[in-house]
Amino acid sequence: MPGSMSPKEELSLTYVEGLRCRECAHPYPAEALHVCEWCFGPLEVVYDYEAIKGAVSRERIAAGPLSIWRYAALLPAAAEGAVSLGAGFTPLVRADRLAAELGLGELWIKNDTLNPTGSFKDRVVSVALTKAQELGFKVAACASTGNLANSVAAHAAHAGMESVVFIPADLEPAKVVTTAVFGGRLVAVDGNYDDVNRLCAELAGEYPSWAFVNVNVRTYYAEGSKTLAFEVAEQLGWLAPDHVVVPVASGSQLTKVAKGFKELYTVGLLDEEPHVRISGAQATGCAPVAEAFAAGRDVVKPVKPHTIAKSLAIGNPADGPYALDAVRESGGSFGSVSDEEIVAGIRLLARTEGIFAETAGGVTIATLAQLAAAGVVRPDERVVVYVTGNGLKTVDAVAPFCRPTATIAPTLEAFAAAVDISEVP
Ligand SMILES: *Cc1c(COP(=O)(O)O)cnc(C)c1O
Ligand SMILES: [Zn+2]
């Protein structure tokens, strides 16, 4: 029984029962598997929720590490030996000034720009590489739209693993530098993310000892996103929000945020069954899931991405249909926003709340504004918006609009002549 275990024994424990196909429910052992042999559906981790219920409590979680690993009981890898740079437990910031601009009431920003490599990807990578090491993989690899490259290269360096990271060649320069600095192999591919992903699926077949975190270890990787739900509930005093707005690239994050809130109730950490409306955010230049939602379709038709929100530029999203289901089931909606709106969203968040997000954050804030104007996100709701990446990685998007107020000679006269201070107290 967990209650009688030493802290050391508890750290080495997981509550994983096995894997299961998300389509045909065929069961599999919790090994290095990710697709169903019968129907090629993706596999999902299955937990022993009864045992978790007996083992977790709000107090035990509060006494845990200030990282995603405080929720280890609901993750597929053991906290002992975790590959961790401290991902997670990012601030949940009350956003009254932004709420006032948008005509909303209780609004919170989950500020995931403050993760070790500046994006939410540190959550999923920490889980994936911990599991990869448990399974005996020696090499960390991925197909990335940018942030995943940063995170895999950094966590591999920290863990002393070799890394081989694949990116589209047209990525933002900052994301290239902040990956290459960690010293692994960084391969720029002439093509978009969907081309990179296809190549990595082939490479995963050729090199079975490489852990492509979002390909052959994806089943485990994806579970890390549940911590976005766990933390929000804990930070709200063990309450679920009424409505969350989540950015969508492959759709994995959104799907797992939905799963996370449900699990908290299943294992007794929430008193009331949560009814969280989930709305998805995409850029109009790459909005295959939002378009399927708007058209009432179940099929997500692939698109060719053209957007400044490169971290969300997946034209053929692996978890698109599951994200669509999660949004529909929750009573949420989708929005999609133009490049101009994305830039405006970045600047609005910065100006009202002092948080500098990358283009994906601009997508989420602009979608929030769109859904608030349409009355979909309502002033009577407790709303949480996931801001998932740091603005320092996509400075070029806002650079033309963000210049000094004036450039002057170092004299009082020059200052008085150049800067209007009539509104400054
Ligand atoms: C990868 C990414 C997402 C969404 O990822 P999914 O593939 O939908 O899980 C959101 N925001 C940022 C900044 C990202 O890098
Ligand atoms: Zn199957």
Side-chain angles (χ1 to χ4, degrees):
M1 277 275 94
S4 60
M5 267 180 207
S6 72
K8 175 110 185 19
E9 283 172 311
E10 226 176 272
L11 278 173
S12 62
L13 206 65
T14 80
Y15 295 91
V16 174
E17 280 186 344
L19 306 179
R20 181 168 58 209
C21 174
R22 257 198 282 189
E23 293 298 325
C24 76
H26 190 87
Y28 292 88
E31 292 169 2
L33 302 169
H34 65 113
V35 283
C36 179
E37 285 173 11
W38 298 94
C39 75
F40 299 106
L43 303 185
E44 169 110 81
V45 181
V46 180
Y47 297 88
D48 180 349
Y49 290 124
E50 275 309 306
I52 298 173
K53 197 170 187 172
V56 295
S57 69
R58 295 173 180 179
E59 294 68 31
R60 281 175 162 230
I61 289 170
L66 293 174
S67 76
I68 60 166
W69 293 99
R70 68 205 273 108
Y71 310 104
L74 287 158
L75 294 174
E80 186 186 48
V83 176
S84 177
L85 289 165
F89 222 70
T90 56
L92 184 70
V93 181
R94 179 76 188 239
D96 286 336
R97 287 165 43 75
L98 177 59
E101 291 245 355
L102 301 180
L104 293 174
E106 185 179 336
L107 176 65
W108 300 85
I109 305 291
K110 181 60 170 165
N111 185 3
D112 245 30
T113 72
L114 295 178
N115 274 307
T117 72
S119 87
F120 106 95
K121 290 294 197 305
D122 292 326
R123 300 174 180 274
V124 281
V125 169
S126 181
V127 172
L129 291 189
T130 303
K131 190 69 196 179
Q133 289 202 328
E134 280 180 19
L135 292 170
F137 287 103
K138 297 282 181 267
V139 177
C142 69
S144 175
T145 57
N147 287 315
L148 191 59
N150 292 166
S151 189
V152 167
H155 283 83
H158 185 70
M161 293 174 88
E162 295 289 333
S163 67
V164 193
V165 161
F166 296 83
I167 54 171
D170 71 345
L171 213 56
E172 298 96 338
K175 285 183 183 160
V176 175
V177 174
T178 55
T179 302
V181 73
F182 297 112
R185 287 164 201 79
L186 174 60
V187 183
V189 177
D190 281 320
N192 61 28
Y193 172 81
D194 298 288
D195 298 316
V196 176
N197 191 44
R198 211 163 30 240
L199 171 63
C200 287
E202 289 175 35
L203 287 165
E206 286 293 304
Y207 303 98
S209 64
W210 296 10
F212 284 85
V213 298
N214 57 336
V215 182
N216 55 345
V217 191
R218 187 176 182 84
T219 301
Y220 300 106
Y221 155 99
E223 291 289 291
S225 284
K226 296 188 305 188
T227 59
L228 286 165
F230 301 159
E231 288 177 16
V232 160
E234 185 181 358
Q235 289 170 315
L236 290 172
W238 295 107
L239 291 171
D242 299 313
H243 204 149
V244 295
V245 182
V246 186
V248 171
S250 73
S252 174
Q253 177 182 150
L254 185 147
T255 311
K256 295 297 173 169
V257 166
K259 183 180 180 189
F261 285 117
K262 287 182 182 160
E263 281 187 346
L264 290 180
Y265 179 66
T266 305
V267 303
L269 288 166
L270 288 177
D271 297 330
E272 286 173 35
E273 188 173 2
H275 296 284
V276 186
R277 298 174 71 203
I278 302 174
S279 290
Q282 293 206 294
T284 309
C286 182
V289 194
E291 282 162 17
F293 181 84
R297 270 192 272 113
D298 287 335
V299 177
V300 175
K301 288 191 200 152
V303 301
K304 274 232 177 310
H306 288 286
T307 169
I308 59 169
K310 294 182 195 255
S311 56
L312 302 183
I314 298 184
N316 188 11
D319 290 290
Y322 300 107
L324 201 53
D325 282 350
V327 166
R328 285 192 176 130
E329 187 195 308
S330 78
S333 185
F334 266 93
S336 72
V337 291
S338 68
D339 285 355
E340 291 70 34
E341 290 173 297
I342 293 168
V343 170
I346 294 172
R347 297 174 72 195
L348 174 64
L349 178 66
R351 176 168 63 73
T352 54
E353 298 297 339
I355 295 170
F356 184 24
E358 68 144 277
T359 44
V363 168
T364 312
I365 296 298
T367 296
L368 171 72
Q370 187 180 79
L371 296 178
V376 174
V377 176
R378 300 191 312 255
D380 62 320
E381 291 180 309
R382 179 187 296 122
V383 180
V384 174
V385 181
Y386 288 99
V387 172
T388 48
N390 197 301
L392 293 173
K393 297 196 203 185
T394 61
V395 166
D396 287 351
V398 289
F401 311 97
C402 301
R403 310 279 314 145
T405 306
T407 302
I408 61 167
T411 67
L412 287 176
E413 297 75 31
F415 174 70
V419 184
D420 176 7
I421 55 166
S422 56
E423 309 256 299
V424 182

